[in-house]
C-alpha cells in the first residue's frame, strides 16, 4: 500500500472534510492518484538532520523536502496531510555503493538484467536502501560487451520512470584490472593487466571512457597495474570514482593513486596486503594527514569479513571516511539451502550455530565471497564494533556514500531543504518501518500503522 492508499483509506478522512474547496482538492488528488501537489507533514517524530538527531517535523511536497519557515511565514498555510510517527526516527535513505545482487539475482551473470535490476531495486526498500550502485565483478570481455549496453539502456529508460523503488546511481565495475594474488572470489582466468593503459580498458569493456562515464559511477582497480596513474587520471577526470582494491600496492603507490584522483578504497582489509609497521600499504592511507580528507573507504560490517577490532581501528583513524557497504551477493534476502552465485563462481551459505550469522564461501573452499548482510544489519554491527553513536553510524550509510559520489546534499544523504524526499523511517534499533521514494511510501512493514489526519486547509 503506497501513501496514496494509506491516506484515502484512513478513518480520519471523511470527518475532516467540511467545505466545497476541500472536497474539490481531495477529488482532484483522488482522480489523478497523485498526492505530489499536497503538502505533507510528518509529526511526533525525530529527524537525523545536519549530523544530529533532533525532535522536529518533516515537511514534503512534490517529492522534495520543504522549509517549514517558508510555509508558515510566506505561504501562511497548514499541511494537507499530517502523519503521526509516534516517536520514530526519519533518516535519509541508506546508500549501498557495492552490492553484487540479492534475492536470487546476480548483476554479473543474470540472463534477464532488466528484471534483475528491477527486482533488486524493489527488494532493497525493505532494508531502508533508497539508492545503490549495482556491482559487476570481473568478467571476460564478451560478457562486458553484452551486459554493459543492456544496463546502459535500462538506466536511460529508468530516468523517465517514476517507480517506487531504490534508485540506481550508476554501476560499480569491480575488476577485471585487479591483482591476481588478491583476487578474492574473482575468476583468475578473466583478470587483465593495463599494458596499453586506457586503450586496454576501453577494449575490454567495449566502450570508451566517454561512454562509460554516462552510467558507471565507480571503478575498482589495483593501482600497481597503473604505475603511471594515467588510467586513474583519465577516469577521474571523466567523473568516474576510482577505487583502490584487490591489490598488493604499497603505501607509496596508494598515495600516488590518491594524488592522481582516486578517492575510495574497496572493502578495506579484504583482498589487500595487511597493515605492517614498515609499510602499512593501502590501509595507511587512512592516517595520512595529507591525504585522509580525500579518501573514503568501504567496510563490510557484517560481523564476518572484518573483525570488530579492525573496524574500530579504521573508524577511530578516519571516522569521516567510513562508507558502509554490504558487498551482498545473490543469496542476500533468501533462506539457506540452495547453491547461489557471484559472477560465474558457485557459492555456499554457511550459518554459524552460535552467532546465527550467515557467511558466503566459494563452494568447497574457505574463501569469503561477498556477504548476505543487509544495510540495516551493517549499521547495527558498526555501532557494536566501534561503540559509535547512532548518528555517527547513520552518517556512514547516508552522508558519506553520498559525498563519495558527489550527490550530497540535494540528491542523497541528507534531509536538507530542497533535497529529494528519499528517506527511511526506523526505530532506535535500526529496524526499518517504512521507506519513501520521492515523497511516496514505497514499502512498509506489516506492523507500521501511523495515525493519518487529512486537514485540507487552504
Amino acid at each position: 500500500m503506497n501513501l496514496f492508499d494509506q491516506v484515502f483509506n484512513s478513518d480520519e478522512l471523511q470527518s475532516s472534510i467540511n467545505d466545497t474547496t476541500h472536497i474539490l482538492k481531495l477529488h482532484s488528488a483522488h482522480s489523478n492518484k497523485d498526492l505530489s501537489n499536497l503538502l505533507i507533514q510528518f509529526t511526533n517524530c525525530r529527524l537525523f538532520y545536519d549530523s544530529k538527531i533532533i525532535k522536529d517535523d518533516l515537511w514534503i511536497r512534490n517529492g522534495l523536502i520543504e522549509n517549514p519557515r517558508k510555509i508558515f511565514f510566506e505561504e501562511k498555510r497548514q499541511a494537507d496531510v499530517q502523519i503521526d510517527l509516534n516517536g520514530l526516527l526519519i533518516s535519509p535513505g541508506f546508500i549501498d555503493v557495492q552490492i553484487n545482487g540479492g534475492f536470487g539475482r546476480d548483476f554479473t551473470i543474470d540472463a534477464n538484467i532488466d528484471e534483475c535490476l528491477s527486482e533488486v531495486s524493489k527488494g532493497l526498500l525493505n532494508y531502508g536502501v533508497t539508492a545503490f550502485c549495482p556491482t559487476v565483478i570481473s568478467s571476460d570481455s564478451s560478457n562486458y560487451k553484452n551486459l554493459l549496453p543492456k544496463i546502459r539502456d535500462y538506466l536511460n529508460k529508468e530516468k523517465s520512470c517514476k517507480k517506487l523503488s531504490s534508485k540506481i546511481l550508476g554501476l560499480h565495475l569491480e575488476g577485471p584490472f585487479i591483482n591476481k594474488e588478491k583476487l578474492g572470489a574473482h575468476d583468475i582466468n578473466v583478470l587483465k593487466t593495463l599494458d596499453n593503459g586506457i586503450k586496454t580498458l576501453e577494449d575490454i569493456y567495449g566502450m570508451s571512457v566517454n561512454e562509460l562515464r554516462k552510467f558507471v559511477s565507480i571503478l575498482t582497480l589495483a593501482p600497481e597495474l597503473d604505475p603511471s596513474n594515467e588510467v586513474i587520471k583519465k577516469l577521474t577526470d571523466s567523473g568516474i570514482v576510482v577505487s583502490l582494491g584487490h591489490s598488493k600496492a604499497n603505501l607509496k603507490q596508494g598515495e600516488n593513486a590518491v594524488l592522481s584522483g582516486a578517492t575510495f578504497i574497496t572493502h578495506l582489509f579484504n583482498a589487500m596486503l595487511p597493515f605492517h609497521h614498515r609499510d602499512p600499504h593501502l590501509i595507511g592511507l587512512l592516517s595520512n594527514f595529507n591525504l585522509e580528507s580525500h579518501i573514503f573507504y568501504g567496510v563490510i560490517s557484517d560481523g564476518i569479513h572484518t573483525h570488530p577490532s579492525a573496524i574500530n581501528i579504521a573508524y577511530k583513524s578516519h571516522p569521516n571516511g567510513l562508507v558502509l557497504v554490504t558487498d551482498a551477493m545473490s543469496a542476500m534476502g533468501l533462506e539457506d539451502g540452495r547453491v547461489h552465485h557471484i559472477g560465474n563462481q558457485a557459492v555456499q551459505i554457511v550459518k554459524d550455530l552460535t552467532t546465527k550469522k550467515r557467511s558466503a564461501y566459494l563452494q568447497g573452499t574457505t574463501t569469503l565471497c561477498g556477504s548476505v548482510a543487509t544495510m540495516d544489519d551493517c549499521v547495527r554491527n558498526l555501532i557494536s564494533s566501534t561503540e559509535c553513536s547512532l548518528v555517527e553510524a547513520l552518517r556512514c550509510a547516508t552522508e558519506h556514500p553520498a559525498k563519495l559520489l558527489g550527490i550530497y546534499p540535494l540528491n542523497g544523504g541528507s534531509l536538507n531543504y530542497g533535497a529529494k524526499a528519499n528517506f527511511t523511517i526506523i526505530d532506535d534499533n535500526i529496524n526499518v518501518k517504512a521507506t519513501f521514494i520521492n515523497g511516496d511510501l514505497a514499502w512498509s512493514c506489516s506492523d507500521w500503522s501511523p495515525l493519518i489526519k487529512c486537514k485540507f486547509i487552504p
Side-chain angles (χ1 to χ4, degrees):
M1 182 181 289
N2 61 19
L3 186 59
F4 175 87
D5 296 323
Q6 291 261 8
V7 167
F8 289 103
N9 287 328
S10 68
D11 295 334
E12 188 86 14
L13 183 62
Q14 295 303 322
S15 61
S16 65
I17 304 169
N18 52 20
D19 77 31
T20 305
T21 302
H22 303 161
I23 292 173
L24 289 174
K25 192 172 185 181
L26 173 59
H27 179 73
S28 174
H30 189 276
S31 297
N32 297 320
K33 292 196 171 182
D34 183 11
L35 294 177
S36 61
N37 66 327
L38 300 182
L39 182 61
I40 300 172
Q41 176 190 11
F42 294 85
T43 188
N44 188 18
C45 58
R46 294 164 296 147
L47 311 180
F48 170 46
Y49 175 79
D50 194 24
S51 297
K52 300 182 291 291
I53 291 178
I54 60 174
K55 186 171 177 55
D56 203 350
D57 295 349
L58 184 75
W59 298 71
I60 63 173
R61 179 172 49 191
N62 296 320
L64 300 176
I65 296 173
E66 291 279 351
N67 183 347
R69 288 182 177 274
K70 180 181 176 182
I71 293 165
F72 295 150
F73 297 113
E74 295 181 21
E75 299 183 31
K76 298 179 180 179
R77 58 171 297 186
Q78 296 184 22
D80 298 313
V81 179
Q82 191 178 75
I83 302 175
D84 186 327
L85 293 184
N86 194 29
L88 291 172
L89 173 64
I90 302 178
S91 167
F94 301 150
I95 301 172
D96 193 352
V97 300
Q98 186 176 5
I99 173 171
N100 308 290
F103 315 102
R105 313 307 292 251
D106 184 286
F107 300 129
T108 303
I109 63 168
D110 204 294
N112 188 334
I113 190 61
D114 286 19
E115 190 178 275
C116 170
L117 291 166
S118 179
E119 188 171 330
V120 175
S121 296
K122 195 73 176 175
L124 289 175
L125 297 169
N126 301 26
Y127 308 107
V129 175
T130 57
F132 69 107
C133 294
T135 303
V136 174
I137 69 167
S138 298
S139 304
D140 59 33
S141 184
S142 62
N143 188 53
Y144 289 124
K145 290 173 181 177
N146 173 58
L147 180 65
L148 296 186
K150 292 179 180 178
I151 295 177
R152 176 199 60 201
D153 294 346
Y154 176 86
L155 295 183
N156 284 336
K157 286 186 296 184
E158 287 299 292
K159 289 177 183 177
S160 59
C161 293
K162 294 185 177 181
K163 288 184 179 179
L164 291 179
S165 57
S166 301
K167 303 302 180 183
I168 297 175
L169 299 174
L171 278 188
H172 180 164
L173 294 176
E174 187 184 3
F177 308 105
I178 61 176
N179 196 306
K180 291 184 177 181
E181 296 182 47
K182 290 294 176 184
L183 75 166
H186 292 237
D187 183 354
I188 194 170
N189 297 307
V190 302
L191 302 189
K192 303 294 180 183
T193 57
L194 288 163
D195 294 340
N196 293 315
I198 206 70
K199 183 179 184 305
T200 300
L201 182 143
E202 292 181 333
D203 287 346
I204 294 298
Y205 291 137
M207 290 185 179
S208 68
V209 170
N210 191 49
E211 291 175 291
L212 291 169
R213 63 184 287 272
K214 296 174 184 177
F215 68 100
V216 173
S217 292
I218 305 174
L219 194 150
T220 291
L221 55 75
E224 65 270 27
L225 301 184
D226 181 30
S228 67
N229 294 305
E230 290 180 5
V231 172
I232 292 174
K233 290 174 185 174
K234 177 71 172 178
L235 291 170
T236 56
D237 285 348
S238 75
I240 295 174
V241 171
V242 170
S243 187
L244 310 178
H246 289 274
S247 168
K248 292 189 70 177
N250 58 37
L251 179 58
K252 188 63 177 176
Q253 291 169 314
E255 289 173 339
N256 289 336
V258 173
L259 291 172
S260 298
T263 53
F264 195 43
I265 302 173
T266 296
H267 46 49
L268 187 76
F269 299 116
N270 291 275
M272 63 183 60
L273 290 175
F275 182 93
H276 189 278
H277 60 284
R278 292 196 181 94
D279 188 340
H281 306 112
L282 292 181
I283 298 168
L285 294 172
L286 273 62
S287 60
N288 185 319
F289 297 118
N290 295 320
L291 298 177
E292 70 169 25
S293 62
H294 303 287
I295 198 76
F296 290 93
Y297 58 97
V299 167
I300 309 170
S301 180
D302 64 347
I304 305 293
H305 276 77
T306 313
H307 193 280
S309 293
I311 296 177
N312 197 25
I313 290 170
Y315 179 75
K316 295 298 193 297
S317 297
H318 185 22
N320 292 325
L322 194 151
V323 174
L324 286 173
V325 298
T326 62
D327 197 23
M329 43 81 67
S330 60
M332 186 270 290
L334 298 179
E335 295 299 319
D336 307 335
R338 53 179 284 196
V339 175
H340 302 279
H341 289 83
I342 181 167
N344 288 313
Q345 305 281 66
V347 173
Q348 62 186 122
I349 307 301
V350 178
K351 187 171 185 178
D352 188 296
L353 296 178
T354 303
T355 66
K356 307 300 182 184
K357 293 185 182 295
R358 300 164 73 227
S359 310
Y361 294 92
L362 286 183
Q363 197 169 38
T365 77
T366 57
T367 301
L368 285 167
C369 55
S371 80
V372 289
T374 57
M375 187 56 77
D376 53 330
D377 280 333
C378 290
V379 175
R380 281 187 287 270
N381 287 332
L382 180 63
I383 293 172
S384 64
S385 296
T386 65
E387 296 185 346
C388 69
S389 67
L390 176 58
V391 163
E392 292 166 322
L394 289 175
R395 289 184 69 203
C396 297
T398 58
E399 178 185 330
H400 294 176
K403 286 182 173 178
L404 167 71
L405 296 173
I407 62 173
Y408 182 87
L410 296 185
N411 290 309
S414 87
L415 298 179
N416 288 16
Y417 304 141
K420 290 183 178 178
N422 299 328
F423 56 88
T424 187
I425 298 173
I426 58 176
D427 63 20
D428 287 336
N429 295 315
I430 313 107
N431 295 307
V432 178
K433 299 298 183 180
T435 303
F436 282 72
I437 298 293
N438 293 329
D440 199 356
L441 178 62
W443 177 86
S444 64
C445 66
S446 58
D447 64 352
W448 188 66
S449 53
L451 177 61
I452 298 177
K453 296 181 179 180
C454 302
K455 293 180 179 293
F456 293 100
I457 296 176

